[in-house]
Structure formats: structure tokens, C-alpha cells
Amino acid sequence: MKKLKGHKISPGVSIGPVYYVERTNYLVPRTYIKNDEIPLEILKFRKAIGKAITELTELKSLLKGKLRDDQLQLIDSQLVAMADEEMIKEVFRRIRKSKKNIAWVYHEIMTEYENMLKNTGSLYQSERVIDINDIKRRVLHHLIFNEKYNLPKIQTPSIVICERMSPSDLIHLHDQDILGVITRYGGFDSHTGILARALNIPYISGVDIDKINENSNVILDADNEQVIIDPDPILEHEYQERRKKFITKIKYFRVEGEEHKTKDGKQIDIYVNAGFFEEVKLINISSVKGIGLFRTEYICFEKNAIPDEDEQFELYTKVLLHMKGKPVAFRVFDFGRDKILDILDITALKGMEVLEDVGGVRFMLENPSLLVTQFRSFIRASKNGEIRILLPLVSKVDEIDASIKLFRKVMNETDCKSLGCRTDIPIGAMVETKTAIENLEEIAKRVDFMSIGTNDLAVYLLGKGRDEYMIKNHYHPEMFRAIKKVVEVGKTHKKPVYVCGEMAADPISLIGLIAIGIDSISINLSAFKTVVDLISRISFKEVRKMEKLILSETNILSLYKILKAKYDEIMSN
Ligand code: PEP
Ligand code: MG
């Protein structure tokens, strides 16, 4: 029995065998196969090589005339390396000997080859590494996603282990028997973290995963931030009981009541965040103000494609009808950063640099056909409820102007009268970049409301990686000062403001937010009960008195201590 430490990303406990997946740009499944499965795996490999060769040959003919001959030769050398007889023989030899599945074997051999080239010390050879990596990714793409996204098939309920996990990986694994997630890297505010909490999948990151064997049985105790490898039977039994309790708690989670007020009667509006219809179905409609953030890009992860206008229209309609007239803020697809779609043919889209760099509304403006389709489905769905539109990761004013102009154009082209659509759909901006904070006045003038995305704001304001374990961003004084500015500008321009990032779901930072004048939040359903409970215990007057102190603080740790002390005091009463 061995214990490893980590960081809690999503609470809960689970017990089970481990399932290792290796991530390149996507997950490489690692399973052992039976003798009689070898021919099928080899056939898969031949097909994948064939598809990759066709693809490269097509690429070469497309580029003819656009590139110089010596540049085109680079593609030829990739074609030669891809079909290299020695490499193919080695793949066949190793699959027979090791009984590892084909993607695993191929990934292993190509990685060894890359490492060998890297270690030669020659500049020429090290440049070839890029080529080899490219070939590896191209072939693996066809091996793993041969028709549809063919995810790693988990044979028995397991705890998935990998270096890092993307949101789309998690969505696909969720359909299978995934008991939990252990990764080396991954942040609390990452989308994978947000999703794991929404899907109630225990998740722990920052673990030295090399210390866990492929055939281990582990306990994932996210609540105590530890992984126990090969536990003894008594401990395992104890954890089985805890697991049962964890599952029961999920099943019976419910909050009643419409209004959420502090002890001294101040109303705090609570909206929820969602990304799937399944989540929406779990909302007790009478206890929420509405949906403050619907992350529409999650449907793309779920489908591995961008849904067409009718598919989008159907989903938005379903959500609006389910919410029975309560407002729903659908956010325009927010691709980019940790939400780069691996599976989509995004190379066919424009603005890849934007996507890797920022994404958000700027990427959508680079690809107006995506934005037009989405706007049209919002407009068509609008007759079914109180729809709002949110523009993600806005930084400059011209992005808002361009989006609103396009929205109006789509609206004018739609026969709103006969379709019964609304013509007064409010448009809001997500305030989550440093530039947005700088341009706040101008932004506020143009939009109907502002929603503060603290997860990205921490990245752009403090320069922190979202994939790092950075919960302490929630207590950074600069964050509070920036949020206060939004509160004030919102007041001046009479535009509603709410916080929809994870800072609002963290009870300790929430106290600070209320102290500086935030009275409207949108949080994950999994945090709802804790937040409602905290709000009912707060004395608004007392908490507001902390404002000056919070805004004049300069040190994260000191601010954390102030907020934590208040939290402890509130909870002990
Ligand atoms: C945020 O950045 O805080 C936010 C709510 O948006 P997302 O987490 O989807 O980027
Ligand atoms: Mg964001």
C-alpha cells in the first residue's frame, strides 16, 4: 500500500482498477489485446497508413504552385518515412510480442524514434523530429478516430490516469464507465475541472502518476487529496462505504426555495452555469433565477462536430422551454485556450493563431459563417423563452461592434414576424480579459449586461495558467479591484453585472465578492447547496464593512486569511 498526494479538482471518492491513457493531441488508448485480435489491429494500422498517405498526397497536389519544389519535397520525405518498411515491420513484430493495442505500439515506436533523433545532437536530425511527430499524429489520428471519434474503450469501470485531460476527452469517457480521473497536470478552474464537478466525477491532479502501475487497484480520495495504491482489504471496505455515501449524496441533492437572502434580508440572485441538457434537467427551476452561462461549445465536444443550425435550434429551444420563462444566457461558442477541439477539422477554419492565442469572440468573427449560424439559431429559438446572448472573451470594443452589427444583419434577414421570434434579445459581454477591464466604459455603453468570467480573468490579468492548480487566484487582491471596477461601471451605465467564474462558487472568495458589491452570481449546480447555505448565514451589513480592507490589501495570503477568518466566523454561528 502506497499513498500519493495531489490537488482536489472535483470532490468525491472512488475505488477501482486504473486505465492509463496517453495524450498527444488526443488520448492514445493503452490496452492489452488477445492473440486473435492481432490481425484486426494490423488491418486497422494498414488502413490508417493508407488514409494518411492519401491525405498527404492530396495536400501535396493542393500546394503545388503555391510552394517551391524544395518545400514540396518535405512532403515527399514525410511520405517515404510514413511508409517505411522497417518501421512497419517493427510495429508488426512488437504488437505480436507485447500484445499491446496498435495505437499504443505505434505511439511507442514513433516516440522512441523521435527521442533517438533528439539525442543525436545534430541540428538536421533534430529538425526531423518535427516531421516524425507530424507523421505520428497524422497516423494516430486515423487509428484512433477512424470513422467517428473512437475513444479508448474502457472494458471495466476504471479510474482514468493521464498526463492531462481535455474537456472533450472527459465528455467521451463520461459515457463509459469512468470512476474518476487522476492527472499529473490540471487546474481547478480548467474546463475539465469544471466539467468533472458538473458530472460528479472525482478528480485529483498534481499526482506523480509514474508511481502508479498499470495493473494497480487504487483509491481516489479527492476529498483528502490523496491516491492510495493497492489498499489493504479493511481500508478498501471502508472506502466502499464512503463511495456509497458519495453516490447517495449526489442522487438526493436538491435545494428548495425561490429567493436567496442573507440573514439580514439582502437578496442575492443566483443563476446556474450549464453546458448540457442533462445538467439543465437537474435544475430545480423554482430555486434559481435562470441560467447565467450556458457554455454552448460543450455540445461540440459532445458531438465532435459543430452542430448545424437546426440541431442548435432544437437544443436551445429545449433548454428555454425547460426553464419555463426564466432567462437563459447562451454564450457564443468559446473555442480556444484549453478548449481547442482536437477532433474537428478546424484547419479548414480561419484564425488558427487567434484560436491558440485567445479564441473567444475573435475566433468566431474570423469565421463569420459559424457566428451567423449560431445567431440565427438563437433568434429562431427566442420565441420559446427569455433568451440572452453572451459574447465570450471580449477585449476590444470593435469586437462588440462587429458582433452586434452581424447580429442585427442576421436579425433583419430572418422573418421574425412570421416565425414569432423576439427582436429585443439582450446581448452581454463576458468581462474576462485585462483589455476588457481597460475598455470597460466603452463596453458597458454597447452591451445590455456584463458577466465576469473570473477563470479567464485570472489568466489575462495575473498571467496565470488556467491549467495550473491556481485556486489561490480567487484571493488575489487585483482580481477584487478589477471586479469592483466592473461593479461601478455597471452602476454608472445601469447595466446588470454578475460573476459567472469559479470565484463565485468558492465560499471563501464569494464573501469577498459580496463585500465589494456583487449581488448576482452564476455558479455550477454542484456548488449550489453550499453557496445557498453560506448566503443564508451571512450578515450583509457586516460583510460590506470589509470592502475597504479587501480593496486596499496587496498580498494574496493576507487577503486569504481575512476572508477565511470571516468564513470560519460565519460558519461557526
Ligand atoms: C470564466 O472564464 O470565468 C468563464 C466563466 O468562462 P469559461 O470558464 O467557460 O472560460
Ligand atoms: Mg472564460
Side-chain angles (χ1 to χ4, degrees):
M1 193 165 90
K2 214 166 35 178
K3 286 186 185 174
L4 301 174
K5 291 306 281 174
H7 304 301
K8 173 170 81 173
I9 303 291
S10 172
V13 262
S14 49
I15 310 138
V18 301
Y19 183 89
Y20 256 95
V21 281
E22 199 155 323
R23 197 163 202 307
T24 50
N25 225 0
Y26 27 73
L27 294 169
V28 176
R30 297 190 351 187
T31 45
Y32 286 100
I33 53 171
K34 298 194 195 86
N35 265 335
D36 58 357
E37 288 170 327
I38 294 176
L40 199 66
E41 291 289 282
I42 289 182
L43 184 68
K44 253 202 281 189
F45 180 58
R46 285 194 189 285
K47 280 192 184 161
I49 293 274
K51 279 187 194 165
I53 289 178
T54 313
E55 206 172 69
L56 264 187
T57 317
E58 280 172 7
L59 185 69
K60 193 181 155 193
S61 60
L62 268 174
L63 295 174
K64 241 184 204 152
K66 292 186 187 148
L67 292 184
R68 292 194 315 264
D69 280 358
D70 59 324
Q71 289 167 329
L72 283 175
Q73 267 167 21
L74 288 174
I75 298 185
D76 286 331
S77 64
Q78 281 205 357
L79 281 165
V80 172
M82 198 174 266
D84 183 76
E85 271 305 311
E86 284 309 308
M87 181 273 296
I88 292 178
K89 268 193 217 149
E90 176 58 15
V91 170
F92 293 167
R93 197 191 59 76
R94 204 174 296 185
I95 192 170
R96 289 197 179 94
K97 189 160 174 250
S98 67
K99 310 276 187 309
K100 291 173 178 173
N101 66 320
I102 188 69
W104 186 1
V105 165
Y106 183 70
H107 180 261
E108 200 172 82
I109 291 173
M110 295 300 273
T111 309
E112 284 168 13
Y113 190 28
E114 275 174 76
N115 291 337
M116 198 181 81
L117 291 175
K118 268 184 214 158
N119 295 332
T120 55
S122 129
L123 185 65
Y124 168 73
Q125 299 292 24
S126 62
E127 276 173 4
R128 289 218 350 119
V129 173
I130 301 168
D131 271 336
I132 297 301
N133 189 270
D134 202 39
I135 296 170
K136 176 172 90 172
R137 286 165 40 155
R138 200 176 278 279
V139 175
L140 277 173
H141 180 90
H142 290 295
L143 270 179
I144 300 169
F145 313 130
N146 48 19
E147 258 110 58
K148 260 161 85 207
Y149 178 63
N150 232 335
L151 38 118
K153 263 265 155 291
I154 299 182
Q155 317 285 344
T156 43
S158 309
I159 294 170
V160 172
I161 304 190
C162 55
E163 289 284 317
R164 41 177 109 235
M165 182 171 284
S166 74
S168 39
D169 295 334
L170 187 65
I171 290 174
H172 290 287
L173 287 163
H174 170 60
D175 282 342
Q176 305 181 37
D177 279 329
I178 179 174
L179 295 174
V181 179
I182 301 174
T183 64
R184 194 189 305 274
Y185 306 104
F188 188 83
D189 291 349
S190 67
H191 283 93
T192 313
I194 293 170
L195 263 171
R197 292 192 290 279
L199 301 169
N200 294 305
I201 300 172
Y203 172 16
I204 187 164
S205 77
V207 177
D208 184 359
I209 54 173
D210 296 336
K211 299 223 164 78
I212 310 173
N213 276 333
E214 312 245 341
N215 39 20
S216 304
N217 197 39
V218 302
I219 290 174
L220 191 181
D221 179 358
D223 299 338
N224 292 303
E225 306 201 300
Q226 60 176 354
V227 174
I228 306 166
I229 305 166
D230 296 323
D232 61 47
I234 300 175
L235 193 65
E236 186 164 341
H237 177 76
E238 193 187 298
Y239 269 93
Q240 298 285 11
E241 294 305 307
R242 281 181 55 186
R243 168 90 189 155
K244 277 186 211 153
K245 277 194 196 141
F246 168 65
I247 292 171
T248 323
K249 211 166 102 190
I250 297 170
K251 267 195 201 147
Y252 298 109
F253 152 79
R254 206 169 161 83
V255 174
E256 300 296 341
E258 169 110 32
E259 311 255 281
H260 305 295
K261 289 189 178 154
T262 61
K263 200 160 76 168
D264 48 349
K266 165 75 181 165
Q267 162 113 15
I268 306 289
D269 290 343
I270 311 183
Y271 294 81
V272 284
N273 297 342
F276 303 100
F277 186 59
E278 291 307 309
E279 253 181 297
V280 175
K281 284 200 293 196
L282 294 175
I283 301 173
N284 179 15
I285 299 154
S286 67
S287 68
V288 303
K289 275 272 158 191
I291 296 180
L293 169 64
F294 191 98
R295 295 178 163 100
T296 59
E297 63 280 358
Y298 282 6
I299 46 173
C300 306
F301 297 138
E302 209 176 6
K303 261 185 72 79
N304 290 305
I306 296 179
D308 65 22
E309 188 186 314
D310 285 342
E311 285 171 308
Q312 289 189 48
F313 162 75
E314 271 163 37
L315 173 77
Y316 306 148
T317 298
K318 249 183 1 186
V319 174
L320 286 166
L321 289 175
H322 189 84
M323 292 306 290
K324 298 197 169 71
K326 296 226 168 166
V328 179
F330 288 103
R331 181 174 68 186
V332 158
F333 293 143
D334 183 14
F335 300 134
R337 290 101 58 221
D338 64 339
K339 287 181 295 188
I340 293 183
L341 294 180
D342 308 323
I343 328 94
L344 293 180
D345 187 13
I346 43 176
T347 44
L349 302 173
K350 284 200 235 141
M352 292 303 288
E353 338 65 61
V354 177
L355 185 65
E356 306 229 333
D357 178 25
V358 220
V361 73
R362 247 165 75 193
F363 178 70
M364 292 298 278
L365 286 166
E366 294 268 347
N367 296 279
S369 65
L370 292 184
L371 196 51
V372 166
T373 307
Q374 193 164 26
F375 279 157
R376 199 173 300 122
S377 32
F378 287 150
I379 295 169
R380 281 175 57 201
S382 68
K383 69 164 186 233
N384 300 298
E386 194 66 31
I387 198 169
R388 292 171 186 179
I389 297 175
L390 253 177
L391 303 173
L393 230 85
V394 162
S395 54
K396 296 199 188 107
V397 173
D398 58 357
E399 293 162 359
I400 300 186
D401 290 340
S403 308
I404 293 180
K405 192 170 161 207
L406 195 62
F407 178 74
R408 295 224 173 99
K409 186 168 178 281
V410 179
M411 178 79 91
N412 288 338
E413 286 164 1
T414 312
D415 187 358
C416 288
K417 222 179 192 172
S418 63
L419 291 174
C421 330
R422 302 179 51 161
T423 48
D424 57 348
I425 302 174
I427 298 188
M430 296 275 299
V431 176
E432 43 186 353
T433 64
K434 198 173 172 189
T435 340
I437 298 285
E438 286 158 6
N439 296 323
L440 218 47
E441 290 279 345
E442 290 306 309
I443 290 175
K445 280 182 203 159
R446 287 162 165 85
V447 295
D448 299 304
F449 65 100
M450 292 185 285
S451 178
I452 310 172
T454 57
N455 310 335
D456 278 312
L457 189 60
V459 176
Y460 293 97
L461 193 66
L462 312 175
K464 305 292 186 192
R466 191 165 164 149
D467 214 19
E468 294 166 41
Y469 184 73
M470 279 294 177
I471 194 161
K472 55 180 182 292
N473 293 342
H474 298 180
Y475 321 118
H476 201 296
E478 269 191 57
M479 292 288 284
F480 286 96
R481 282 194 280 273
I483 295 168
K484 178 68 190 174
K485 194 173 165 198
V486 191
V487 172
E488 276 173 352
V489 174
K491 222 185 254 164
T492 312
H493 294 275
K494 298 198 172 50
K495 302 291 164 75
V497 167
Y498 61 94
V499 175
C500 65
E502 293 301 299
M503 246 176 109
D506 171 347
I508 298 172
S509 46
L510 176 60
I511 294 173
L513 293 176
I514 295 177
I516 61 166
I518 288 288
D519 55 9
S520 184
I521 55 174
S522 189
I523 55 174
N524 287 328
L525 212 45
S526 58
F528 202 80
K529 201 165 186 287
T530 316
V531 165
V532 167
D533 179 47
L534 175 78
I535 288 173
S536 68
R537 293 163 180 260
I538 282 180
S539 155
F540 181 67
K541 269 198 203 121
E542 286 299 310
V543 166
R544 282 289 274 156
K545 284 187 196 151
M546 298 169 74
E547 175 166 31
K548 257 203 184 129
L549 184 61
I550 292 171
L551 295 173
S552 60
E553 212 15 279
T554 51
N555 180 284
I556 304 183
L557 193 61
S558 318
L559 185 47
Y560 170 73
K561 283 186 183 156
I562 294 169
L563 295 172
K564 175 74 166 63
K566 191 72 191 173
Y567 171 77
D568 289 342
E569 182 199 311
I570 292 168
M571 295 311 282
S572 64
N573 285 332

